[in-house]
Amino acid sequence: MFKEYQPTNEAESDVHGKISRTDMLAPWTYRSEELTALELEALFLRDWLLAGHASEIPNSGDYTTFNIGGERAVLIRDEEGRIGAFHNVCRHRGSRVVGADRGHCRRTMVCPFHGWTYHLDGRLKQIPSPGTFAQLEIASNGLIPIELEVWHGFLFIRFRSGGQSLAARLAAVEEKVAHYRLSELLPLGSRRVVELPYNWKLIHDVDNEGYHVPSAHPSLHSLYGRDYRDSLMGDVPISTARVDKNVSSFWSVDHYKKLLPSFDHLPPSEQRVWFYFAVFPNLVFVLYPEMVEFYMTVPVSAGKSLMIGQCFGLRDDRRETRAARYLNQRINEQTAREDENLVLWLQESFATSVYPRDNLSTLEFGVAYFHRQLKMKLPVLGLEMAPQAGHLAARTQKMLNGA
Ligand code: FES
Ligand SMILES: [Fe+2]
């Protein structure tokens, strides 16, 4: 059975003691296109977004891209080996400067439209027919930089710069993640991008609690159901699950338990732990013993989201490690399939006249905590009814000004 949720510090007991109807977002917040546009601006573009890992662009001229809410970013390694992040918008007339999602530029980035040429560090180098421009300063027409923070090798960008650093935000999990040598990770396969017919918040609502695991995910439950716990580390939501050694009737789970080797980089306490932590608003990291995975949502519209995920691992050629990584993915794919209908049925419930919000278990505090964070950042999310069409932005401004 699940362990009872035990708050271990003040922040946790605060969450524990006050779960209530008022925490839960009203159904309109999952269905409003106007709100989704506002969320993109206020929650996503103003916060740290994961755009990749340094190991994906190991050589000078390698680049990767990340697009969201109309914005386009290119992250590229320059001749000195430094990584820079820029708007992938040519300073001439706005074309993409790099066209592929990922690739390599030799020495310079050349815009495919009219051939403006940029150094790998974003400076404009030269343009065709410079004499045909009345006034154009090469020096002030480099690609426009985007704020970049490299956190243990992971590349985070913030389109609207300013505010807390990511390292400060994640300070509470720093000690925990140190064992995993994240900056040395290498990609295991390419990025998965799937479009799902759900609101982005709903995907997290289902993901943010373990209360449904015994009922909805029997194989996951048989993997770690006896020792699973959701809590907070500082104010970072975490889940810790310990893989037991009991026989399982599920093939993948049973073999995973038996084959999982031990890992020199982990202390004894972490050898069989799956550790999840969330980075508001849209990202979850999972530190497994044998690899590291992230998954995140990107809103496309009120009822559509991208789910983006990728696995990384330290160099380890052992057969057991390869097997464990494969079995892990089989278990997680099964879990994702089991969630599909549940998310769909919740999404449908927003259109009914009796959507329930009163009965939340303490085991679901992660849902309430996520909603509370959302409302703190974007107070309009606390409204019971949708503001009149066209009034959302004005209402948001008023609420932020305390009116
Ligand atoms: S838009 Fe890039 S060179 Fe013209
Ligand atoms: Fe689930």
Side-chain angles (χ1 to χ4, degrees), residues 90-97 111-118 128:
C90 179
R91 294 298 299 275
H92 177 218
R93 284 176 54 200
S95 167
R96 291 184 186 209
V97 178
C111 177
F113 199 172
H114 311 90
W116 282 33
T117 301
Y118 299 87

Side-chain angles (χ1 to χ4, degrees), residues 39-87:
E39 287 173 334
L40 274 163
E41 179 58 42
L43 301 176
F44 285 78
L45 297 181
R46 286 171 201 224
D47 218 326
W48 292 109
L49 300 170
L50 178 59
H53 189 278
S55 63
E56 295 173 272
I57 48 173
N59 302 311
S60 142
D62 290 348
Y63 70 84
T64 187
T65 61
F66 185 76
N67 302 339
I68 183 169
E71 297 284 13
R72 308 192 296 246
V74 53
L75 294 91
I76 187 160
R77 199 181 280 273
D78 70 16
E79 312 233 23
E80 309 293 322
R82 290 172 308 217
I83 296 173
F86 306 95
H87 288 270

Side-chain angles (χ1 to χ4, degrees), residues 124 161 219 396:
L124 183 59
S161 63
S219 63
T396 302

